[in-house]
Amino acid sequence: MSKPVLSAHFESRKPSDVRLAQMKYDERKVKPQEVINVGIGNVSLPTNPAMQKRMFNLDAPDSPFNKGVVKYTGTAGTPEAQEAVKNILRSGGFNTDNLYVQITEGGSAGMELLILGVCGPAGSSEKPLMMIDPAYTNYISFAERLGRKTVTVKRHMGDDGKFNLPSLEEIEESIKKNNPGALLIIPYDNPTGQLYDYEMLIGLAELCVKYNIWFVSDEAYRELYYIEKDKLISIWGVTDAEVPGIEGRRISIETTSKVWNACGLRIGAVVTDNPEFHNRSVAEYTANLCANAIGQYVFGALAHESKESLLAWCKQQRDYYKDVIVNVYNGFKALEPNLVVSSPDAAIYSVIDVRKVVKPGFDSIDFVLYCASEGSAIIDGVETTLLVAPMKGFYDEKDPAKNPGTTQFRISFVETPEKMAKVPELFIKLLRQYEESR
């Protein structure tokens, strides 16, 4: 008897590189005593106290859920959740008077709306989404799902672990060649940890005005930076005063996942200063009905927090991550000086490049699968394995031979400091095991 046929899209789908290790590890029959998972940016810190208070008291007299009823919200989100986004932006020094906020089911749903709103028709190469490689892999995946195209301008990781941003001239040439619908940036970058500066943002904004394209910024990590700055870097800090004509073409993707330690809450937002984009985006999202109602209520607590409270929280997060990042970086360099390791200025990731310490033919995905399915090492007397993310999927590169991610990995600083301290030794032991086995 014949079986139903999967679509060509489903037939071609493979797991995201971010989730690959976890999925393979779940299939492992005999698991080691401990697994350290730094492949996913799944923050393990408690969320903000104001959000916790609501989360632990859903039956409080003033809670909308105290009678056990969970109704849809408006498609654009509750006014309180929208105000929480604006309150965070205002605390960072940005004017929110002319901003429109749409609450979404995590930043991921916002990414899909963005692609639908700025790119050309499905199945065509018109108006692709332009990104700077390596870029967060989910933008590439969502574009494929929606039948839209992406184009990238390349940057490269030097032997000092620093990524070089492409020049404005390179970006302009790519704009002229590809005629994108939007330029997407991640100023506090995932996956590289690179931090843009305002000079770069202004130059990019000027190109967006010159070529009449949308200027889009993924600001998931906006408050997480580890070098001295006199003000937050944001698309919302680039106005008509600096770049005439930029207002009305700005869009940001927001999320509760990282700065607010609420990955599983699945609350994000699309913010824009263009009322037509906002109205059309909400119309598109009516098919989804609304974002998580309980999640919006929990996040909505931040609408009532003072600027001082929000800034103190963000500083606490920065101080925590900075210590962990420095310790891990120093651990890698002490144990294997020939590793190329990024020391991020922002976000919660480092990139590890093994190009100087492995034999020819090395493949990052094969190593990740080895660690997840069979590899382990003894660390502090405990059999342990490590889950990391291969960087291949973060590059929009069709030729495997030219993909820098073949020897690169992204690690996320999401486990406890005690577990993160084990990562350098564990990674190097597993790498040497793998190299000896092939």
Side-chain angles (χ1 to χ4, degrees), residues 76-123:
T78 64
E80 185 183 53
Q82 294 172 340
E83 178 59 23
V85 174
K86 291 184 178 182
N87 195 29
I88 292 166
L89 285 169
R90 283 195 298 269
S91 76
F94 306 112
N95 185 341
T96 63
D97 290 348
N98 297 314
L99 298 189
Y100 301 84
V101 178
Q102 175 183 2
I103 303 298
T104 59
E105 193 81 3
S108 301
M111 295 177 200
E112 288 192 285
L113 288 169
L114 163 71
I115 292 167
L116 287 168
V118 302
C119 294

Side-chain angles (χ1 to χ4, degrees), residues 277-296:
F277 181 95
H278 174 74
N279 290 335
R280 298 293 184 180
S281 182
V282 173
E284 174 66 35
Y285 205 56
T286 54
N288 296 62
L289 303 177
C290 70
N292 182 327
I294 294 176
Q296 291 187 67

Side-chain angles (χ1 to χ4, degrees), residues 200-411:
M200 187 65 175
L201 257 64
I202 288 170
L204 295 172
E206 289 172 342
L207 290 177
C208 290
V209 172
K210 181 177 180 179
Y211 292 97
N212 193 30
I213 60 180
W214 296 94
F215 191 27
V216 184
S217 182
D218 184 323
E219 306 216 341
Y221 306 89
R222 182 177 50 241
E223 291 80 9
L224 299 179
Y225 58 91
Y226 315 111
I227 58 177
E228 288 300 318
K229 286 287 177 185
D230 57 356
K231 59 181 179 179
L232 282 179
I233 304 296
S234 172
I235 193 173
W236 302 117
V238 182
T239 67
D240 278 353
E242 295 83 22
V243 182
I246 195 60
E247 293 181 23
R249 66 176 71 247
R250 298 174 297 173
I251 304 168
S252 74
I253 303 297
E254 309 283 334
T255 179
T256 64
S257 293
K258 310 306 180 186
V259 176
W260 307 102
N261 302 340
C263 295
L265 202 64
R266 305 312 299 138
I267 295 297
V270 178
V271 181
T272 184
D273 58 354
N274 186 296
E276 184 177 5
F277 181 95
H278 174 74
N279 290 335
R280 298 293 184 180
S281 182
V282 173
E284 174 66 35
Y285 205 56
T286 54
N288 296 62
L289 303 177
C290 70
N292 182 327
I294 294 176
Q296 291 187 67
Y297 173 68
V298 171
F299 173 61
L302 298 185
H304 312 287
E305 292 295 290
S306 68
K307 174 182 177 179
E308 292 73 22
S309 173
L310 295 175
L311 292 179
W313 170 264
C314 294
K315 183 180 185 303
Q316 174 186 311
Q317 303 308 297
R318 288 195 297 273
D319 291 346
Y320 169 84
Y321 281 117
K322 186 173 183 177
D323 285 345
V324 176
I325 288 167
V326 169
N327 289 337
V328 171
Y329 176 84
N330 290 339
F332 271 116
K333 298 306 287 185
L335 292 171
E336 180 48 84
N338 288 322
L339 284 177
V340 180
V341 184
S342 71
S343 180
D345 294 329
I348 58 170
Y349 308 102
S350 277
V351 176
I352 315 297
D353 197 322
V354 300
R355 63 194 185 219
K356 292 184 173 183
V357 299
V358 296
K359 295 179 285 191
F362 182 88
D363 185 274
S364 57
I365 290 179
D366 287 346
F367 174 66
V368 167
L369 296 177
Y370 168 81
C371 294
S373 62
E374 59 181 291
S376 66
I378 302 300
I379 303 292
D380 296 336
V382 178
E383 184 191 8
T384 311
T385 196
L386 180 69
L387 306 184
V388 296
M391 282 285 291
K392 288 177 78 171
F394 290 85
Y395 290 92
D396 196 9
E397 176 58 67
K398 305 300 184 273
D399 184 350
K402 295 180 180 178
N403 192 325
T406 300
T407 59
Q408 293 177 355
F409 304 89
R410 189 195 74 170
I411 65 168

Side-chain angles (χ1 to χ4, degrees), residues 163-210:
F163 281 82
N164 68 311
L165 279 171
S167 68
L168 291 173
E169 290 75 19
E170 290 177 83
I171 295 170
E172 183 169 15
E173 284 304 310
S174 186
I175 291 174
K176 289 192 287 188
K177 176 182 176 181
N178 295 290
N179 190 28
L183 172 63
L184 167 71
I185 60 169
I186 308 178
Y188 303 74
D189 191 56
N190 176 9
T192 69
Q194 188 168 29
L195 177 61
Y196 288 43
D197 57 34
Y198 260 117
E199 290 72 23
M200 187 65 175
L201 257 64
I202 288 170
L204 295 172
E206 289 172 342
L207 290 177
C208 290
V209 172
K210 181 177 180 179

Side-chain angles (χ1 to χ4, degrees), residues 36-45 221 257-258 261 263 320-321 324-325 328 348-349 387 410-417 419-420 423:
I36 297 177
N37 187 353
V38 294
I40 305 170
N42 193 14
V43 179
S44 57
L45 295 170
Y221 306 89
S257 293
K258 310 306 180 186
N261 302 340
C263 295
Y320 169 84
Y321 281 117
V324 176
I325 288 167
V328 171
I348 58 170
Y349 308 102
L387 306 184
R410 189 195 74 170
I411 65 168
S412 309
F413 296 98
V414 294
E415 293 275 21
T416 64
K419 286 187 176 182
M420 290 305 307
V423 168

